[in-house]
Structures are given as C-alpha cells and as structure tokens.
Amino acid sequence: MSLTFIEILRRALDEELARDPAVHLLGEDVAAGGAFGVTSGLAQKYGAQRVRNTPISEAAITGLAVGAALCGLRPVLEIMFIDFATLAMDCLVNQCAKYRYMSGGQLAVPLVVRTQAGAAGGAAAQHSQSLEAWFVHVPGLVVVAPSSPVEAYGLLKSAIRLGDPVLFIEHKRLYTLREELPADAELPQIGKARVARAGTDVTVIAHSAMVRNALEAAEELARVGISVEVIDLRTLLPLDMTTIAASVSKTHRVVVAHEAVQNGGVGAEIAARIGSELFDELDAPVIRIGCPFSPIPFAPELEKALLPGTASIVQAVRELPG
C-alpha cells in the first residue's frame, strides 16, 4: 500500500516513540495532529506526557525542547512554518548549536526541529519561504531536507537517533506525494547525498522538492540526447562534497537548483566550493537556479511565474557551453 509523505512521517514518528521512551513530541496543536496532520493519533496512543501541546510561542517552546534534550530526552519539536523559526533563532543559533562545543563535548542536544518550508499555492509571503541557508551558516546545527516520502521516513529516523540538533525541513508541496514504503527501507547516513539518477553530460544538484523537478528535467533532456546526473543532497549541513566531486569529475558541467532566492542561497556555497576545490574538472561555469529576489506573492498565478521549476533546469542545461 502506498503512503503519503504525511503518513510516512507519522509512521516514522510512531516507530521512534515505540522504540525509545526518551522520544517526545511537542509543538502547537501536535496532540490534534499539528498544522498538517502529521502527528494525528499519536497523542491518543502515547499520552499527553509524550505528545504535548504547547503555547503559540516558538521562542518558548524551542527553549523548552533544548532544555529537555540537555536533560536526556530526545524531543521532536514541530514549528509550523520555517518562516516562524525566526522567532526561535536565538535559542537555535546561540544556544543549542553551541552547547557541545562550549562544554568540551560533555553536553549534547539530541533535538529534532521539524518544520515546513516552500511555496505550495497561495500561502503568500509569510508562509512560503525557503530559509534553509540561514541555518546552514551555523556551526553545530545539522540541516536535512528530504525529497520524497521514503527519503523522509529514513532521514527522520536517522535524525532522531543522531544525538545533535537537526533542523528537518519538509516541503509542503511534497505532502500529498505517495510512495510504497519498502519493508527494508534504509536509514540514510546523515551527511551523505545520493545519486538519484546517473548521467554523463551534466550534474544537477538539488534538494527537497527541486529534486523532482531535476528528475523531470533529466527525463525531458534525455529525449534530445543529453544525459543528466541528479544529486539529491539530502543533508545541507554537513555538505557531502565527496559525492558532488565524484559526479563533477565525470560530467564536468554543473547546475545547482533550489527554490530559495538565489541571492545568498545554498547554491552559492556549493558553486563556490566546486569552483575552488574542483576548478580543473569544470568545462563550463557553474549555473545557479533560484527564486528571483522577491517575496512570494499571494496570487497563485504570480507564485507559479516566480518559482523556478523543471523548465528552468532544462533551459539552464541547454545554455551550458559545449
């Protein structure tokens, strides 16, 4: 039976709650299922002590989660939209990301912050942003962005077991996707990218929902004889340069694609590192694809016109010299 992205996340959380009594869920309305229904039914199964509703205060509940993690629990905190992680930035950036370093390894913060990002149709400027680059800038945090339901299942379980603070970013546009969950679904290593499609002519590096666009673009380009290798980053911090380097050394051309605004995005870091570490492997400049420097509009037609997608990747690959 196929499961949606939401249902697979719920199964991963259910299994981790059953496996480890230190795992607790908390956040606004999580006992009622959360903003998108991911935690539906878990409060009835595990009780209000382990699936706990909180006040609407991202700063307060993040502080609560960090304290619980320091005291030996493994909290999974839901912040409804990554836009509102801005209200928890002090705790995330200045506190939980620093404890292991400042304590000489004596303290750990085994915390997962689940949050939703990306534009999904008419949610407007305050509920549609992709802010992952802000957190990739912070030593001590881990940033994960799954691209499919099955990927989300394994990566969420790996994140809960990791023992360090993880920002787990779920793209809202992926929530309705369905996949079969294999009985032997792997638990991917945090910090390890995957080759989602092998190719020989150009490497497209993407994460989250843009991986699907990259795969669609690869199918379209294959029909005109262009072989595209697609790298699904999975983890944005730490970045798997080993997998990237192996691909670039094979294809010698690179497109980096993400939904976030291009200015200061994750793609800029990847392009810079490829340019400095793999310059001799390149036969063309690295091309970046991202959203224009604009807030996400409310009107669905304007949102669709603004966001990069499959056509953007196809165009960029076709424009590569050689």
Side-chain angles (χ1 to χ4, degrees):
M1 182 180 68
S2 66
L3 299 173
T4 66
F5 198 110
I6 287 173
E7 291 167 340
I8 278 183
L9 287 173
R10 186 184 306 131
R11 176 172 292 191
L13 291 171
D14 189 357
E15 291 174 359
E16 290 304 296
L17 283 162
R19 184 189 65 84
D20 185 353
V23 175
H24 287 60
L25 311 185
L26 65 156
E28 299 158 14
D29 292 331
V30 292
F36 297 92
V38 171
T39 55
S40 180
L42 296 179
Q44 290 75 18
K45 186 172 183 179
Y46 294 100
Q49 289 297 314
R50 296 188 65 196
V51 183
R52 182 181 293 271
N53 281 340
T54 66
I56 303 175
S57 174
E58 284 78 10
I61 62 180
T62 305
L64 170 66
V66 171
L70 286 168
C71 291
L73 298 182
R74 288 183 178 264
V76 181
L77 167 65
E78 179 175 348
I79 292 181
M80 285 187 179
F81 297 89
I82 198 171
D83 315 70
F84 305 132
T86 55
L87 299 165
M89 287 288 276
D90 176 59
C91 194
L92 291 172
V93 172
N94 291 323
Q95 307 303 325
C96 78
K98 306 293 191 290
Y99 275 120
R100 186 183 289 278
Y101 170 75
M102 294 177 67
S103 68
Q106 297 178 82
L107 297 175
V109 186
L111 165 67
V112 175
V113 179
R114 290 185 45 249
T115 191
Q116 297 83 25
Q126 295 175 328
H127 296 75
S128 302
Q129 296 173 93
S130 297
L131 301 178
E132 61 270 19
W134 290 8
F135 299 95
V136 169
H137 194 65
V138 182
L141 293 182
V142 175
V143 181
V144 174
S147 63
S148 73
V150 171
E151 284 290 307
Y153 171 83
L155 286 167
L156 181 55
K157 292 170 76 77
S158 293
I160 291 170
R161 300 178 190 189
L162 182 65
D164 283 311
V166 179
L167 189 71
F168 191 89
I169 304 173
E170 303 157 11
H171 198 295
K172 297 186 288 293
R173 206 161 58 244
L174 298 177
Y175 271 164
T176 57
L177 291 183
R178 286 186 171 273
E179 281 187 341
E180 296 280 346
L181 180 63
D184 58 348
E186 67 166 345
L187 302 189
Q189 177 184 342
I190 299 294
K192 179 67 175 175
R194 71 181 179 106
V195 179
R197 178 186 176 114
T200 56
D201 296 329
V202 58
T203 298
V204 176
I205 302 169
H207 63 272
S208 191
M210 286 297 284
V211 173
R212 291 182 59 81
N213 296 116
L215 292 170
E216 290 171 359
E219 284 287 339
E220 183 174 335
L221 290 162
R223 291 194 284 270
V224 294
I226 300 174
S227 176
V228 176
E229 180 148 297
V230 177
I231 301 296
D232 176 3
L233 290 173
R234 285 176 163 169
T235 307
L236 308 180
L237 182 67
L239 186 64
D240 181 6
M241 282 302 297
T242 300
T243 298
I244 292 172
S247 182
V248 174
S249 299
K250 178 171 58 173
T251 66
H252 309 292
R253 292 173 178 81
V254 185
V255 173
V256 187
H258 54 63
E259 183 176 313
V261 292
Q262 188 179 96
N263 189 59
V266 171
E269 173 65 19
I270 295 170
R273 292 187 64 175
I274 291 173
S276 62
E277 299 173 24
L278 302 167
F279 181 79
D280 290 341
E281 296 291 347
L282 293 173
D283 289 342
V286 177
I287 294 181
R288 289 185 294 143
I289 294 172
C291 191
F293 197 62
S294 168
I296 303 297
F298 169 72
E301 296 84 359
L302 294 177
E303 178 188 283
K304 184 177 179 181
L306 187 75
L307 294 178
T310 302
S312 308
I313 297 172
V314 170
Q315 180 181 352
V317 170
R318 286 182 169 275
E319 290 176 354
L320 281 166

